[in-house]
């Protein structure tokens, strides 16, 4: 398990690099599912461990509610990655990533929108939470 902020930040750099590689080959305008499948291939190529379409359990008043939420990727059990292909991301997309991070107790999340001309400058948003603050 990665135990430092520096290592988590380095991991997020690799993830963003993988997304840029996908975007460089495909460009904007495709379906989210296409980017998601290509992102899985790219994460595998660079050797990162990830879970795709991972179900996020929810507990409500002692009752487990299953099957409602799935994050696109959980990389190295440290970073939630949510893929979009929309004209613009909205606050609800930010909330989605933050909720996934908190439910999974994950320190960092990245929201990627592939429907942009430049993924590096305007297609990604990074989030941290209290679990990141707990890292060394």
């Amino acid at each position: 398990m990665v135990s430092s902020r520096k290592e988590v930040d380095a991991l997020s750099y690799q993830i963003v690099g993988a997304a840029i590689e996908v975007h460089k080959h495909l460009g904007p305008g495709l379906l989210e599912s296409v980017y998601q499948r290509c992102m899985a291939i790219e994460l595998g190529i660079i050797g990162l461990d990830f879970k795709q379409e991972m179900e996020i359990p929810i507990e409500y008043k002692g009752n487990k509610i299953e099957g409602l939420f799935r994050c696109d990727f959980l990389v190295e059990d440290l970073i939630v990655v949510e893929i979009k292909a929309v004209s613009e991301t909205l606050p609800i997309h930010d909330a989605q990533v933050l909720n996934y991070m908190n439910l999974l107790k994950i320190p960092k999340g990245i929201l990627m929108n592939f429907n942009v001309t430049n993924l590096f400058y305007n297609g990604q948003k990074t989030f941290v939470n209290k679990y990141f603050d707990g890292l060394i």
Side-chain angles (χ1 to χ4, degrees), residues 9 12 32-33 36 41 50 60 63 67 73 75 83 89 100 131:
D9 287 341
S12 65
E32 179 181 318
S33 59
Q36 187 177 7
I41 292 168
F50 64 92
Y60 178 74
N63 297 291
F73 295 99
V75 181
I83 305 291
T89 57
Y100 290 173
Y131 301 105

Side-chain angles (χ1 to χ4, degrees), residues 41-102:
I41 292 168
E42 197 61 37
L43 292 173
I45 288 170
I46 62 174
L48 295 179
D49 182 46
F50 64 92
K51 296 172 185 94
Q52 189 174 358
E53 288 291 322
M54 192 186 100
E55 187 174 299
I56 300 172
I58 301 212
E59 189 174 313
Y60 178 74
K61 294 187 176 185
N63 297 291
K64 283 192 175 185
I65 302 169
E66 297 181 15
L68 296 179
F69 295 110
R70 294 182 186 278
C71 68
D72 290 334
F73 295 99
L74 177 60
V75 181
E76 299 285 339
D77 290 326
L78 287 166
I79 299 179
V80 168
V81 179
E82 191 62 25
I83 305 291
K84 300 293 178 201
V86 293
S87 57
E88 69 178 282
T89 57
L90 302 172
I92 193 69
H93 299 129
D94 298 355
Q96 180 183 20
V97 174
L98 289 165
N99 280 327
Y100 290 173
M101 291 167 58
N102 289 325

